[in-house]
Amino acid sequence: MLIGSWPEEVELLRKMVRDLAVGRIAPLVAGIEERAEFSQELLAVLRDAGLLGMVVPERFGGVDADLRSFVVVMEELSKVFPTASTVLTGHWFACKQIVRFAEADWKASLLASVASGETLGAFALTEPNAGSDLAGLQSRARHVGDQWSISGQKRFITNGGVADFYTVLARTGENRAHGLSAFYVEADRPGVNVGRVEKKMGLRGSATAEIYFDEVTIPFDHLVGTEGGGFQQMMTGIEEGRVLVAALSLGIATGCLDQAIAYASEREQFGKKIAAFQGLQFLVADMAIQTEAARSLTYDAAEAVIAGRPEAALLASAAKTFASDVGMSVSTDAVQVLGGSGYVTDFPVEMLMRDAKINQIYEGTNQIQRMLIARNLFGDAARS
Ligand SMILES: Cc1cc2nc3c(=O)[nH]c(=O)nc-3n(C[C@H](O)[C@H](O)[C@H](O)COP(=O)(O)OP(=O)(O)OC[C@H]3O[C@@H](n4cnc5c(N)ncnc54)[C@H](O)[C@@H]3O)c2cc1C
């Protein structure tokens, strides 16, 4: 299939990640899926390839990767193992807040250890009673002398229990959105406790855990950004997050399409390759149409975000929604093309179908994205 016509260095990165995914990650997939546990071996592959550190700017010892680079990493890894992409996005989102908004002395040493791949982060926003309605979250941070004390329960945290630090959103004031602040919390602080580790439909090699903060004391300078500014800070860059979930979904769709074409070109029934049957050809043609449309929208949204175009927010939501819906439908159709073989674990399309589902849910559900798009189109009329 066509690939993007992005700068040469981005396409070189794409090739490097493709080789990594096929050569180093693919052989690990079956074992990780079987064990359904976070894999230190996978983390080591991602770390050794420099992918944990690509979120760090050059002035802190990193590489200053732009959104195009993140997009191609998501795409290429997700063709083979979306779990790997999710481990990275949880880490990248936690780090981005620190890169953008932290100012204290610890920032340089933390980012140096992220750049070298020694440190893994997790982004802790969601709570049992605050998912889509994030501004309703209840975890609290209070001043205690010259420190902060954080208490609360977080849920569904990617890299929870394996991360070295959490970027946590907690309530410091009563105003819903303007009463939230972000904090850097080391995972080994007394009072940081790991609760249930979820058993999941997909992304089985990623850790998704409840994290309890029981009167966790942190220094005053662990506030990230401004007091009361946490929600707005999180919204800065949310378009990038949505583009990355679009790219993750695009990778799943592309991987499924490639496998459907390969299988249908070999499998014979009624004395012919199944690729010769028009009923199947049209199914695969529709998969290709959807995938290419998702690719165009995802790349266009990435360019809009990079250029700071006014329609960037709408395009990022549209790309996230469309590409994740495409990832779901193309992966489901790929299982169909492979017939019974698609339903068993011998071929990875069943895993890709299970992994596709979450992209319609996290980083703002697709219902929330459609709501945001409508607000963007209608303005105040959408709220009246
Ligand atoms: C595998 C996995 C990894 C995750 N990783 C992280 C992470 O690293 N960090 C983190 O903080 N969170 C993480 N999450 C949480 C994720 O972001 C939330 O699950 C998601 O935001 C949805 O929240 P919810 O599950 O509470 O669903 P709810 O908000 O309860 O939504 C339930 C349903 O109601 C719909 N709905 C809600 N409000 C509206 C509305 N106004 N209009 C129309 N429909 C609506 C939703 O679209 C959805 O269909 C993860 C979740 C999973 C499953």
Side-chain angles (χ1 to χ4, degrees):
M1 299 304 300
L2 292 175
I3 57 166
S5 52
W6 275 353
E8 196 186 345
E9 64 272 17
V10 178
E11 294 305 331
L12 285 172
L13 175 67
R14 180 194 297 278
K15 184 176 177 328
M16 185 280 274
V17 179
R18 182 178 300 161
D19 292 346
L20 184 84
V22 173
R24 301 271 319 274
I25 295 178
L28 303 177
V29 171
I32 296 174
E33 284 289 298
E34 183 80 28
R35 290 189 298 280
E37 282 174 2
F38 183 85
S39 163
Q40 291 292 343
E41 201 179 349
L42 173 66
L43 183 64
V45 172
L46 300 174
R47 181 181 56 224
D48 294 349
L51 300 180
L52 295 181
M54 66 184 280
V55 68
V56 179
E58 226 168 327
R59 66 184 189 285
F60 292 106
V63 290
D64 255 346
D66 76 358
L67 184 56
R68 297 182 192 95
S69 303
F70 289 103
V71 164
V72 298
V73 171
M74 285 295 101
E75 235 187 293
E76 295 303 325
L77 289 180
S78 304
K79 285 181 192 172
V80 172
F81 199 30
T83 280
S85 305
T86 294
V87 171
L88 284 175
T89 51
H91 165 77
W92 288 342
F93 294 166
C95 294
K96 278 266 178 186
Q97 290 290 311
I98 285 165
V99 167
R100 287 201 172 105
F101 300 108
E103 284 173 0
D105 291 345
W106 51 261
K107 176 175 179 173
S109 60
L110 174 68
L111 292 183
S113 71
V114 170
S116 64
E118 290 157 57
T119 300
L120 183 71
F123 201 22
L125 311 176
T126 303
E127 299 183 357
N129 293 319
S132 299
D133 183 17
L134 209 50
L137 66 80
Q138 292 159 357
S139 292
R140 280 207 171 260
R142 294 178 295 115
H143 291 225
V144 176
D146 59 354
Q147 298 186 311
W148 291 100
S149 172
I150 301 187
S151 290
Q153 179 187 354
K154 296 291 177 180
R155 194 178 185 203
F156 297 145
I157 305 309
T158 299
N159 300 334
V162 291
D164 301 293
F165 73 90
Y166 297 95
T167 303
V168 181
L169 201 59
R171 182 159 297 288
T172 49
E174 296 319 312
N175 186 292
R176 266 170 60 84
H178 294 286
L180 302 179
S181 305
F183 297 91
Y184 162 61
V185 183
E186 298 93 331
D188 58 1
R189 292 244 167 217
V192 178
N193 295 311
V194 182
R196 187 175 63 190
V197 179
E198 307 289 351
K199 295 188 193 322
K200 305 193 292 293
M201 170 195 282
L203 300 180
R204 292 196 175 155
S206 73
T208 310
E210 287 178 330
I211 305 294
Y212 291 89
F213 297 90
D214 298 323
E215 297 190 6
V216 178
T217 303
I218 51 170
F220 205 65
D221 71 357
H222 279 33
L223 173 73
V224 175
T226 58
E227 188 173 339
F231 192 80
Q232 280 66 33
Q233 289 165 205
M234 197 198 63
M235 288 296 155
T236 314
I238 195 115
E239 289 95 3
E240 286 184 7
R242 289 177 180 152
V243 170
L244 291 192
V245 174
L248 208 168
S249 310
L250 172 61
I252 290 177
T254 310
C256 284
L257 178 61
D258 291 348
Q259 287 187 49
I261 294 168
Y263 186 88
S265 305
E266 292 298 323
R267 170 77 175 164
E268 291 188 8
Q269 288 292 280
F270 302 98
K272 287 181 179 174
K273 307 274 191 219
I274 59 171
F277 299 122
Q278 194 181 55
L280 195 112
Q281 289 172 357
F282 281 11
L283 183 61
V284 175
D286 281 338
M287 290 165 66
I289 293 166
Q290 290 181 66
T291 304
E292 287 311 317
R295 188 185 318 281
S296 297
L297 188 50
T298 301
Y299 287 10
D300 196 20
E303 292 299 338
V305 171
I306 291 167
R309 297 206 315 253
E311 69 276 27
L314 186 147
L315 285 177
S317 287
K320 190 271 180 190
T321 309
F322 185 74
S324 61
D325 286 351
V326 165
M328 196 69 245
S329 74
V330 168
S331 59
T332 307
D333 288 344
V335 170
Q336 192 68 21
V337 170
L338 270 68
S341 298
Y343 198 72
V344 297
T345 57
D346 299 359
F347 290 89
V349 288
E350 62 83 29
M351 174 193 76
L352 292 173
M353 179 180 155
R354 289 185 285 102
D355 289 356
K357 183 63 201 171
I358 188 63
N359 296 322
Q360 298 176 308
I361 296 171
Y362 63 14
E363 208 51 22
T365 68
N366 284 4
Q367 284 77 20
I368 295 295
Q369 301 305 326
R370 288 182 166 96
M371 192 178 86
L372 294 172
I373 291 166
R375 281 186 188 165
N376 197 302
L377 298 171
F378 288 114
D380 287 343
R383 295 172 191 268
S384 55

